[in-house]
Amino acid sequence: MKNVLLLGATGSIGESVLSVISQNKESLNLLGVSFNKNVLRFQEILKEHSPDYVYIENHASFKSLCNKDKERYLNGDDELERLINRDDVDIIVCATSGFAGLKTAYIASKTGKKILLANKESVVAGGDLILPLAKENNSEIIPIDSEHNAIFQCLSGEKGTEDVKSITITASGGPFINASIQELQHATVEDALNHPNWKMGSKVTIDS
């Protein structure tokens, strides 16, 4: 039985991880979770999976819950680090979205544990910090978000990057896939936000 710590339990990656755990209860146990403000979704997770430990990033959300069980509910950077470093944590899923995920990925990289990394931003922004730390501490990082997991699977069996000449990532479409250069010159923010395949919020959509 492997104990899983799911950091970012209420997001879309968290939903997928919880589904995998539900389908593999004989081999995976949800030991702990973290979330920020989505208390309603967290309460559903608590009812279904009953994790032993809950780290709450948002202080107001923590205050509203901590009186119920002071041993289970955690808050603050020190308690987050203690949770990630627990001896009974086997797998750390870093699914906290955006730049905020850098903190958890940085702490996790020092543990010597298996890290399932869904947060691309943490590697883009802090790869020079995280990757050497992971190597130094024998932490295994496995990418689990869509594009970089696909690349990871394609490279399975290769000895190293020296065996690969190039990698090509294709776009998933988007609101301007069939637009002409002339049409793009008059594109609006509303047009850009009208992505046909997914809803990821205004910032991520525009950045993408």
Side-chain angles (χ1 to χ4, degrees), residues 83-92 108-115 137-141:
L83 176 60
I84 290 174
N85 280 285
R86 285 187 61 90
D87 290 338
D88 50 356
V89 171
D90 300 303
I91 299 169
I92 303 168
S109 68
K110 298 186 287 183
T111 63
K113 301 177 188 295
K114 180 174 287 188
I115 303 164
N137 292 280
N138 295 315
S139 300
E140 182 183 8
I141 297 179

Side-chain angles (χ1 to χ4, degrees), residues 12 28 41 95 167 181:
S12 59
L28 297 174
R41 175 59 189 135
I167 296 172
I181 296 296

Side-chain angles (χ1 to χ4, degrees), residues 34-198:
S34 80
F35 76 99
N36 187 23
K37 295 181 180 179
N38 194 344
V39 175
L40 187 61
R41 175 59 189 135
F42 159 69
Q43 289 174 332
E44 294 172 350
I45 294 169
L46 182 64
K47 184 176 180 180
E48 182 177 354
H49 295 274
S50 191
D52 292 341
Y53 303 100
V54 180
Y55 177 81
I56 307 172
E57 183 74 32
N58 181 269
H59 192 67
S61 300
F62 171 71
K63 291 288 284 185
S64 70
L65 292 169
C66 68
N67 289 332
K68 297 179 181 179
D69 189 340
K70 292 183 179 180
E71 293 295 322
R72 170 179 273 173
Y73 296 101
L74 311 171
N75 178 250
D77 288 351
D78 288 346
E79 290 195 332
L80 174 64
E81 189 159 359
R82 279 196 292 271
L83 176 60
I84 290 174
N85 280 285
R86 285 187 61 90
D87 290 338
D88 50 356
V89 171
D90 300 303
I91 299 169
I92 303 168
V93 181
C94 292
T96 308
S97 62
F99 187 74
L102 176 59
K103 176 173 66 177
T104 54
Y106 176 78
I107 297 170
S109 68
K110 298 186 287 183
T111 63
K113 301 177 188 295
K114 180 174 287 188
I115 303 164
L116 307 186
L117 185 65
N119 182 284
K120 293 184 285 287
E121 292 88 347
S122 60
V123 175
V124 172
D128 288 348
L129 289 171
I130 293 169
L131 298 180
L133 270 178
K135 186 175 182 180
E136 180 184 337
N137 292 280
N138 295 315
S139 300
E140 182 183 8
I141 297 179
I142 299 175
I144 61 170
D145 200 11
S146 53
E147 296 89 356
H148 57 177
N149 180 259
I151 295 168
F152 175 78
Q153 291 186 56
C154 288
L155 294 177
S156 178
E158 301 295 345
K159 295 177 183 177
T161 53
E162 66 274 6
D163 296 326
V164 181
K165 182 177 180 180
S166 65
I167 296 172
T168 301
I169 306 174
T170 61
S172 62
F176 303 121
I177 188 169
N178 295 313
S180 66
I181 296 296
Q182 290 74 27
E183 289 170 325
L184 286 175
Q185 290 176 342
H186 303 287
T188 66
V189 172
E190 288 72 25
D191 294 333
L193 288 171
N194 190 28
H195 197 289
N197 298 329
W198 42 253

